[in-house]
Amino acid sequence: MAQAISDYIATVNIAPFGIFMLVFAFYLLCGCFMDALSIIITVPVVFPVLTSVGYHEASLVMLLVFSMEIAALTPPVGVGVFCVSQVTQPAADRRFRG
């Protein structure tokens, strides 16, 4: 499937930066509903597509991890935001059960 998608994108005249921005927007949308570990499932499809348009593998991995972490902070799920809000609350306001 990844090879068919990368072949299709190679025939479409979109700049490599435009393709990456589409992938980044997709990750932001996914980050609204899934955590970063669930988003990693899409890497086997996205990675060959982006390497076929000319991105280097090492820089691409860093960009994908960065975009997944930004996606993990987006609401409504935003697991990182919930963790930070719990840590920054005063001890009297925390309500732990257990």
Side-chain angles (χ1 to χ4, degrees), residues 6-77:
S6 64
D7 291 340
Y8 174 74
I9 289 177
T11 61
V12 177
N13 289 332
I14 299 176
F17 183 72
I19 294 171
F20 180 75
M21 291 311 295
L22 288 173
V23 170
F24 187 74
F26 172 71
Y27 280 150
L28 282 178
L29 181 69
C30 286
C32 289
F33 304 106
M34 299 186 299
D35 61 337
L37 291 175
S38 300
I39 298 172
I40 289 176
I41 295 172
T42 63
V43 171
V45 175
V46 171
F47 193 79
V49 170
L50 291 174
T51 55
S52 70
V53 295
Y55 282 97
H56 190 265
E57 291 87 3
S59 61
L60 184 60
V61 168
M62 288 186 289
L63 289 171
L64 288 177
V65 168
F66 183 69
S67 64
M68 283 185 221
E69 290 304 317
I70 289 175
L73 294 175
T74 57
V77 177

